[in-house]
Amino acid sequence: MLLSRFELVDEMKGLYVEMLGDMVLPNMFTFNTMVNGYCKLGNLSEAGVYVSEIVQAGFALDTFTYTSLILGHCRSRNVDGACCVFGLMWRKGCPRNEVSYTNLIHGLCEAGRIGEALKLFLLMGEDNCCPTVRTYTVLICALCESGRKLEAMNLFREMSGRGCEPNAHTYTVLIDSSCKERNFDEARKLLDQMLEKGLIPGVVTYNALIDGYCKVGKNSEALEILGVMESNNCSPNSQTYNELICGFCKVKDVHRAMSLLNIMFERNLYPTLVTYNSLIHGQCRAGNLDSAFRLLNLVKENGLVPDQWTYSILIDTLCKRGRVEEASELFNSSQVKDLKANEVIYTALIDGYCKAGKVDEAHSLFKRMVDEECPPNSITFNVLIDNFCAEKKVQEALLLVDEMIKMNLKPTVETYTNLIVEMLKEGDINHAKKTLNQMISSGCQPDVFAYTTFVHAYCRQGRLEEAENVMAKMKEEGIIPDSLAYTFLIDGYGCMPLIDCSFDVLKRMFDAGCEPSHHTYAFLLKHLVKEMQTIKDGCMVEDSFAPGFVPNDLDNVWKTLDFDIVSLLFKKMVEHGCKPNVNTYSKIITGLCRAGQVNVALKLLNDLQKGGMSPSEFIYNELLRCCCKLKLFEEACSLLHDMDENGHLAHLESYKLLICGLCDEGKKTMAESVFHNLLCCQYNYDEVAWKVLIDGLLKNGYNDECSMFLKSMEKKGCQLHPHTYAMLVEGLDGT
């Protein structure tokens, strides 16, 4: 029976043959064990052999035999066969028990026949059978997966009333379902109930919560659950860290994701290809392509084989960065050829060629894709349609839409929106409106971007009433206008010029919970400057509020700003009921830093702190990066100290610039101090070596300093991957 439990059927059969050889006759228990073992694997033909032997030995099939056969039919996905066996039990007068019912209910649920499963559940009482925890849990799981959560919760509440207490697995099913519905309050209440009842949540329970939080970007809550998990002596597994890594990569916090890789190694949890793919994707999204390729090397060094997803990420990123020839070389390399490229890889390359102006190569690749029996998808067509639109070839784009339909591919929101954008660019609003109506009639619901293109077009033409009508239409359709839509409207009113109306729109943004972007504030500042310049020309205000000229583009807005005009912006915001918050300061500091206006940005940081607000990690990193690029290393060190005091993590790129900059100025002691500070952070040691030592010090010729810092890492016990260590040694040797 023990061998059967662990599905060791070969060992079972060997022992059975040995019994027969020793002239030991099998009894009913032995036969049933053999039947059950093969039924668990869905191997009904082998199970049938032992059923025949039961009959030949003069035994009658009993409840255990039939129940095993029900399980076997369900495991082999023959639920109708299981139903026949279940009916045969009744006809043969063989009593059915809770396991017989539960096995069949489970099989019906797996086949999507939940209605039949529920009817069978109701019949259990008539057969003197009481549902078990497993019976309830199987049904609750099936109802949750089919979107019938209310019925699942009703069954859950019914359990205790019938003297059947839910177990940890029951709670885990409901917690997982609540997380997928993003109902985290309910999920946490269920977890609390578990703990109150003395049930011990397992790693699967905690992972359900962590995964749920990570999928919606609530990484701090996910880390909180990790803390609860560890405090309850439940050890995280590889999946736990995979979920956290994926969550941090999703919000472009790849450095924290990489630090989790350190912890995995420390805990002897081996990263899977899923782990590395998430990290490669995260590095690509953060623009760290070199680090992404170094991770690819670690994948191979660790004996893992990169898959289509691995290469599609890298090829897509190379194309997006205009490095289409390198992407093509990778695509044609042996490792990708061995995998057989998928539609994602083809589409990424086609897009890359289009954006590089190599349209013939793109169409050639499209033909090759079809020839190699890799059917293009809607996204592939959208790439080509977008290219035709960019070349103002709307008719050719429309022909591609027809070809798409012939291939049984339904045009998507993006397909129609690409066409609408080009029509609006050409000022053909009527044709664009017809295309929008065609889009709706085809059952394709326009998204926020589709409507925003109309807001933009109307604002450019000064038709603000019609732009407002589109905003109203969006709300009627249940589509929430985004920052871009509001920003176009703000600019539209500012151009009229109706700047007070622009601030009224800003108030609407605040009230709707929509965070303005730094472009939103740039447009407001541009129109404020313009208004002040007009008043200045009329000798109506002091010179202090008017820069030397009105900037024509947003880059110049930031380059010409002074603290006084920002103060005026804040004053106007307060007048219109939208008090500046941390996000306001963050966006304006971002714009100023990217324009090199660090002095004004630092004044704003001081103003923010005087107002009783705490600067975010993002604000500090923008300022730190700017100071490093402008070689203001003392200010950078001061910011780094403040970040440490406030528990914020500085970006590795800033550390690299700061350490190399200090070495440039001969301040090696300060550089060493900064590096030691870096080692105290939760950074992945390989990434520190890649970015600071290899990309920073070695590339700038600071071999001695690099060697010294490497020794510091070794003394601190920072274990580098052998591949990384070899790269460093080669670099230090100049090979």
Side-chain angles (χ1 to χ4, degrees):
M1 192 67 176
L2 190 63
L3 293 173
S4 172
R5 184 179 298 170
F6 293 103
E7 299 178 6
L8 299 169
V9 291
D10 291 338
E11 289 80 357
M12 278 170 49
K13 190 169 184 178
L15 200 58
Y16 182 81
V17 170
E18 194 177 321
M19 280 178 67
L20 296 178
D22 290 343
M23 305 301 288
V24 178
L25 294 176
N27 59 17
M28 189 63 188
F29 180 80
T30 309
F31 284 127
N32 272 341
T33 301
M34 296 302 294
V35 171
N36 185 255
Y38 282 107
C39 283
K40 279 181 178 175
L41 298 175
N43 190 341
L44 284 165
S45 58
E46 281 290 334
V49 171
Y50 296 97
V51 171
S52 300
E53 291 193 19
I54 289 172
V55 175
Q56 287 170 16
F59 296 116
L61 304 189
D62 61 11
T63 300
F64 191 94
T65 322
Y66 283 115
T67 300
S68 294
L69 290 169
I70 289 169
L71 176 66
H73 281 291
C74 289
R75 290 274 168 94
S76 62
R77 298 186 180 179
N78 179 12
V79 185
D80 289 332
C83 290
C84 289
V85 174
F86 187 78
L88 185 63
M89 289 179 77
W90 179 77
R91 290 195 296 277
K92 294 279 186 181
C94 182
R96 298 178 289 209
N97 63 14
E98 289 83 357
V99 183
S100 314
Y101 273 94
T102 303
N103 282 351
L104 184 53
I105 285 169
H106 193 192
L108 288 165
C109 286
E110 285 193 326
R113 292 156 65 171
I114 301 171
E116 293 172 65
L118 287 167
K119 284 179 185 175
L120 196 62
F121 172 75
L122 295 173
L123 287 173
M124 289 184 77
E126 295 177 16
D127 221 351
N128 294 317
C129 292
C130 293
T132 64
V133 176
R134 182 168 175 266
T135 318
Y136 275 108
T137 305
V138 162
L139 282 166
I140 287 168
C141 183
L143 288 166
C144 286
E145 286 178 355
S146 61
R148 296 161 68 175
K149 182 70 176 293
L150 187 61
E151 292 172 76
M153 290 303 293
N154 288 338
L155 268 183
F156 174 69
R157 294 185 191 100
E158 178 189 302
M159 289 180 74
S160 297
R162 294 184 66 174
C164 182
E165 289 297 328
N167 63 13
H169 182 52
T170 318
Y171 275 102
T172 300
V173 166
L174 288 167
I175 287 169
D176 184 49
S177 175
S178 298
C179 289
K180 283 173 180 169
E181 292 174 347
R182 301 189 178 185
N183 189 348
F184 296 107
D185 289 339
E186 182 179 76
R188 291 300 292 267
K189 282 177 187 174
L190 287 164
L191 180 64
D192 291 341
Q193 277 181 36
M194 279 186 81
L195 296 168
E196 284 168 16
K197 289 188 176 185
L199 293 170
I200 301 170
V203 68
V204 177
T205 315
Y206 288 113
N207 282 354
L209 270 162
I210 288 169
D211 186 46
Y213 279 127
C214 286
K215 277 182 176 162
V216 296
K218 294 188 173 186
N219 296 331
S220 55
E221 288 88 341
L223 288 174
E224 183 191 334
I225 295 295
L226 180 67
V228 173
M229 181 180 187
E230 291 176 326
S231 66
N232 286 330
N233 297 316
C234 181
S235 299
N237 60 12
S238 293
Q239 188 179 338
T240 315
Y241 286 105
N242 281 347
E243 287 161 359
L244 287 164
I245 285 168
C246 187
F248 279 112
C249 288
K250 192 175 285 183
V251 296
K252 296 186 180 180
D253 197 350
V254 70
H255 297 314
R256 288 194 193 274
M258 289 290 290
S259 71
L260 290 167
L261 190 64
N262 269 358
I263 298 170
M264 288 186 78
F265 285 130
E266 287 166 5
R267 297 192 174 187
N268 293 320
L269 292 171
Y270 296 101
T272 63
L273 187 59
V274 172
T275 320
Y276 282 113
N277 279 349
S278 294
L279 289 167
I280 288 169
H281 192 207
Q283 294 286 12
C284 286
R285 287 188 73 203
N288 304 325
L289 200 49
D290 287 344
S291 293
F293 273 102
R294 286 184 284 236
L295 280 167
L296 176 64
N297 289 331
L298 290 194
V299 170
K300 296 171 185 175
E301 287 281 328
N302 287 338
L304 298 170
V305 180
D307 61 7
Q308 289 176 322
W309 175 234
T310 318
Y311 288 109
S312 66
I313 297 164
L314 293 165
I315 288 170
D316 183 49
T317 306
L318 284 167
C319 289
K320 281 177 178 169
R321 296 183 71 171
R323 294 162 63 176
V324 69
E325 294 305 326
E326 290 172 67
S328 182
E329 282 176 25
L330 183 58
F331 174 72
N332 290 316
S333 65
S334 57
Q335 57 259 45
V336 178
K337 279 184 176 177
D338 291 343
L339 280 172
K340 188 178 184 339
N342 60 12
E343 69 276 8
V344 178
I345 296 176
Y346 273 111
T347 301
L349 263 176
I350 289 167
D351 188 36
Y353 278 124
C354 284
K355 285 185 168 61
K358 298 183 176 182
V359 182
D360 290 341
E361 286 92 332
H363 285 278
S364 172
L365 201 57
F366 181 80
K367 185 178 181 302
R368 176 177 160 186
M369 184 180 183
V370 175
D371 291 343
E372 292 187 4
E373 297 182 354
C374 179
N377 58 20
S378 299
I379 301 169
T380 318
F381 274 99
N382 286 341
V383 163
L384 293 167
I385 289 165
D386 184 46
N387 178 66
F388 276 130
C389 288
E391 293 182 343
K392 303 189 184 301
K393 296 178 179 178
V394 177
Q395 291 307 312
E396 286 89 337
L398 289 169
L399 289 173
L400 262 183
V401 174
D402 292 338
E403 189 178 334
M404 191 177 177
I405 294 167
K406 284 176 189 173
M407 292 183 71
N408 294 319
L409 290 171
K410 191 177 178 182
T412 65
V413 174
E414 189 181 349
T415 315
Y416 288 109
T417 305
N418 285 339
L419 293 164
I420 288 167
V421 167
E422 185 49 38
M423 291 167 186
L424 290 173
K425 276 183 185 175
E426 293 177 6
D428 193 353
I429 289 182
N430 289 333
H431 196 178
K433 284 168 77 173
K434 284 179 185 174
T435 305
L436 181 71
N437 292 332
Q438 183 187 342
M439 178 182 184
I440 296 166
S441 63
S442 72
C444 198
Q445 178 62 42
D447 61 9
V448 63
F449 184 66
Y451 280 116
T452 300
T453 57
F454 282 94
V455 173
H456 187 208
Y458 284 129
C459 286
R460 277 195 309 177
Q461 295 185 15
R463 295 159 65 176
L464 292 169
E465 186 177 345
E466 287 160 286
E468 289 282 16
N469 289 340
V470 175
M471 294 286 281
K473 173 74 173 169
M474 286 167 75
K475 290 177 182 177
E476 284 172 21
E477 298 289 333
I479 297 167
I480 300 169
D482 62 8
S483 173
L484 192 62
Y486 282 112
T487 301
F488 285 143
L489 205 53
I490 284 168
D491 187 40
Y493 279 114
C495 289
M496 288 306 287
L498 297 166
I499 196 159
D500 281 331
C501 292
S502 292
F503 279 95
D504 288 338
V505 175
L506 183 69
K507 176 68 166 64
R508 282 156 57 186
M509 278 186 88
F510 270 66
D511 291 345
C514 179
E515 293 283 9
S517 67
H518 76 283
H519 291 303
T520 313
Y521 290 112
F523 278 118
L524 284 165
L525 287 161
K526 181 182 84 167
H527 294 303
L528 268 179
V529 170
K530 187 176 179 182
E531 185 179 69
M532 290 303 103
Q533 184 68 56
T534 304
I535 296 169
K536 176 180 180 269
D537 290 344
C539 303
M540 291 175 67
V541 296
E542 297 177 11
D543 288 347
S544 59
F545 282 104
F549 65 93
V550 180
N552 294 318
D553 58 66
L554 295 186
D555 285 340
N556 279 334
V557 169
W558 301 113
K559 288 174 184 174
T560 58
L561 275 188
D562 61 20
F563 187 75
D564 290 333
I565 200 72
V566 177
S567 299
L568 180 62
L569 170 72
F570 289 169
K571 182 183 173 186
K572 294 281 284 184
M573 285 177 69
V574 171
E575 285 172 6
H576 285 79
C578 33
K579 186 180 176 183
N581 55 25
V582 173
N583 178 66
T584 312
Y585 280 94
S586 176
K587 299 307 185 222
I588 295 173
I589 287 171
T590 297
L592 289 165
C593 285
R594 290 176 187 177
Q597 283 260 56
V598 72
N599 290 330
V600 183
L602 287 169
K603 269 190 179 182
L604 275 177
L605 175 68
N606 187 47
D607 194 57
L608 166 70
Q609 291 168 321
K610 278 183 181 176
M613 291 178 271
S614 299
S616 64
E617 185 169 285
F618 179 82
I619 289 174
Y620 272 120
N621 271 306
E622 286 294 314
L623 286 162
L624 183 60
R625 184 187 295 114
C626 185
C627 285
C628 288
K629 284 187 176 178
L630 295 174
K631 301 185 185 298
L632 302 172
F633 299 121
E634 285 188 21
E635 289 86 344
C637 287
S638 176
L639 283 166
L640 195 59
H641 177 264
D642 289 348
M643 290 183 78
D644 286 340
E645 291 286 311
N646 288 286
H648 294 316
L649 187 67
H651 290 166
L652 262 181
E653 183 66 23
S654 296
Y655 269 112
K656 179 183 84 173
L657 291 171
L658 182 53
I659 289 167
C660 289
L662 289 168
C663 287
D664 278 342
E665 294 189 351
K667 297 175 180 176
K668 294 181 183 178
T669 305
M670 283 181 71
E672 190 175 2
S673 174
V674 172
F675 187 74
H676 286 161
N677 181 76
L678 167 59
L679 294 182
C680 295
C681 300
Q682 293 181 336
Y683 272 114
N684 173 267
Y685 303 133
D686 288 305
E687 200 180 21
V688 170
W690 297 339
K691 295 289 282 183
V692 179
L693 302 186
I694 296 173
D695 290 350
L697 296 169
L698 284 178
K699 282 189 178 176
N700 284 282
Y702 292 113
N703 290 41
D704 291 342
E705 289 77 4
C706 182
S707 181
M708 179 177 69
F709 292 159
L710 177 59
K711 285 174 184 173
S712 296
M713 291 185 81
E714 290 168 347
K715 282 179 187 175
K716 195 170 171 58
C718 305
Q719 291 187 348
L720 295 174
H721 190 280
H723 183 78
T724 306
Y725 196 85
M727 287 173 69
L728 272 167
V729 172
E730 284 174 16
L732 289 166
D733 290 344
T735 55

